[in-house]
Amino acid sequence: MQGKIIKGIAGFYYVDVVESGIFECKAKGVFRKQGRKPLVGDLVDIEVLDESKKTGNIAEIAPRKNELIRPPVANIDVGMAVMAFSSPAPNLNTLDMFLLMAERRNINAAICFNKCDLATDEEIRSIKERYEASGYPVFFISVREKRGIQELKEFLRNKITAFSGPSGVGKSSLSNELLQRSKMETGNLSDKLKRGKNTTRHVELLAMPGGGYIMDTPGFTSLEPEEFEAETLRYYYPEIYEYEGMCRFTGCMHDKEPDCEVHRAVNEGKIPKGRYESYINLYHTLKEKKRR
């Protein structure tokens, strides 16, 4: 059987096998010898030990498309940055760092702005132009007023999604809405998942009605600027990388070089000015740290 690990704790892995339920499994010793460890989100082959008790062993781990260390999880389809228009006000520098981290980790990023009922049309337009022009899906929702939720559900259907964002933006309320927790009791899941409920916080994938999973963690850790180098920073801004190799000078950093296609794209409005400024500010910060 093949399934997806939706929770791992105390050496036990809970594998969701379509149409067969959740199996409590241990990893075979060969993985330890190979220095490999199953992660939540892994697609795995299992050998069934007891069909009635839903127990088995993990026999093989499929290749991963991405992997995070904090929290330990694999195969994320969407890294969703959740921000709010008010309480707290959005910090676009923080948002840009999140997008950089997702690009570096080969995770498809998307953006969700909650509390859009508190935003002006101009605020929404400004955010939409800045990030949609950079190639990122942007959703404007109001959990309180149930606005934009259905469109977001459709986008996340059959995907593994990890939320990240500052406190107070409504991540928990959004998760409850997507999981329909007011209509679905967690007891509907296998009793096996109650194991370790009061232990150290762990990673768990929670199934959304209609297909897909939400990663139940506070969100994955954003990268610090030190993890990037000034010379390669341009690779992680998709709208800037699009012009790679098109400038007059090979290896153009798109800073003060003449005949730079990125400069031209910014002036023509093809690259959002705010995103270019974000790149330049971080580029000079990294250069200065390297010089020191």
Side-chain angles (χ1 to χ4, degrees):
M1 291 184 175
Q2 186 178 72
K4 186 189 304 292
I5 299 177
I6 61 172
K7 179 179 175 180
I9 191 166
F12 289 91
Y13 299 92
Y14 299 89
V15 180
D16 189 2
V17 178
V18 177
E19 298 182 355
S20 295
I22 297 170
F23 285 74
E24 182 181 81
C25 299
K26 298 278 283 186
K28 284 194 166 185
V30 65
F31 296 116
R32 191 180 305 109
K33 295 177 182 178
Q34 295 172 349
R36 302 168 65 200
K37 184 178 180 180
L39 294 177
V40 170
D42 271 332
L43 289 173
V44 296
D45 292 332
I46 68 170
E47 297 174 350
V48 176
L49 298 178
D50 190 316
E51 178 72 34
S52 62
K53 294 182 179 180
K54 293 288 195 295
T55 59
N57 285 328
I58 294 176
E60 188 53 67
I61 303 172
R64 296 164 179 160
K65 64 182 179 182
N66 55 49
E67 178 182 341
L68 292 175
I69 298 174
R70 294 188 305 273
V73 65
N75 300 318
I76 294 173
D77 295 309
V78 179
M80 178 71 72
V82 183
M83 309 295 284
F85 279 106
S86 177
S87 302
N91 184 324
L92 299 187
N93 287 332
T94 298
L95 176 53
D96 285 343
M97 282 302 299
F98 170 89
L99 297 175
L100 285 173
M101 184 277 294
E103 293 289 342
R104 187 178 176 108
R105 295 285 189 261
N106 195 32
I107 296 171
N108 293 322
I111 304 167
C112 176
F113 270 84
N114 189 22
K115 306 181 186 180
C116 68
D117 51 304
L118 303 178
T120 65
D121 290 343
E122 174 58 27
E123 287 173 324
I124 292 176
R125 183 194 63 77
S126 177
I127 293 293
K128 186 180 180 70
E129 288 181 354
R130 172 172 172 141
Y131 290 103
E132 285 194 344
S134 300
Y136 294 107
V138 186
F139 297 87
F140 299 98
I141 70 166
S142 171
V143 175
R144 184 169 65 90
E145 295 187 354
K146 304 291 192 292
R147 288 167 56 181
I149 301 297
Q150 189 57 42
E151 181 184 5
L152 184 59
K153 283 182 179 179
E154 290 301 319
F155 177 74
L156 299 180
R157 190 180 303 278
N158 297 324
K159 298 181 177 73
I160 295 178
T161 302
F163 290 135
S164 188
S167 299
V169 297
K171 294 191 299 295
S172 295
S173 298
L174 175 58
S175 294
N176 289 340
E177 188 68 32
L178 294 173
L179 295 167
Q180 297 182 13
R181 278 177 164 155
S182 60
K183 301 176 183 179
M184 292 181 60
E185 296 296 329
T186 55
N188 289 342
L189 297 176
S190 169
D191 288 339
K192 294 178 183 296
L193 295 185
K194 296 178 182 177
R195 178 192 294 268
K197 182 177 180 181
N198 297 316
T199 62
T200 303
R201 189 167 181 85
H202 55 272
V203 182
E204 183 175 348
L205 299 181
L206 302 178
M208 291 196 306
Y213 296 89
I214 293 175
M215 191 172 75
D216 182 27
T217 76
F220 46 102
T221 308
S222 62
L223 292 178
E224 295 300 323
E226 289 83 356
E227 298 194 44
F228 292 94
E229 296 180 356
E231 293 77 14
T232 58
L233 182 65
R234 66 190 189 277
Y235 300 153
Y236 303 108
Y237 281 80
E239 65 273 50
I240 291 176
Y241 183 68
E242 182 180 344
Y243 294 89
E244 185 68 18
M246 298 171 63
C247 302
R248 174 180 173 184
F249 294 102
T250 302
C252 180
M253 297 298 168
H254 318 306
D255 182 17
K256 298 176 182 178
E257 299 91 338
D259 296 328
C260 172
E261 287 300 316
V262 168
H263 293 167
R264 187 172 290 110
V266 173
N267 292 333
E268 293 176 356
K270 296 177 181 178
I271 293 178
K273 185 176 180 181
R275 283 281 288 173
Y276 175 72
E277 290 174 347
S278 167
Y279 163 76
I280 286 297
N281 290 336
L282 184 53
Y283 171 73
H284 284 287
T285 297
L286 295 173
K287 276 189 67 177
E288 180 61 19
K289 286 188 175 181
K290 184 176 181 179
R291 184 189 67 80
R292 291 177 182 176

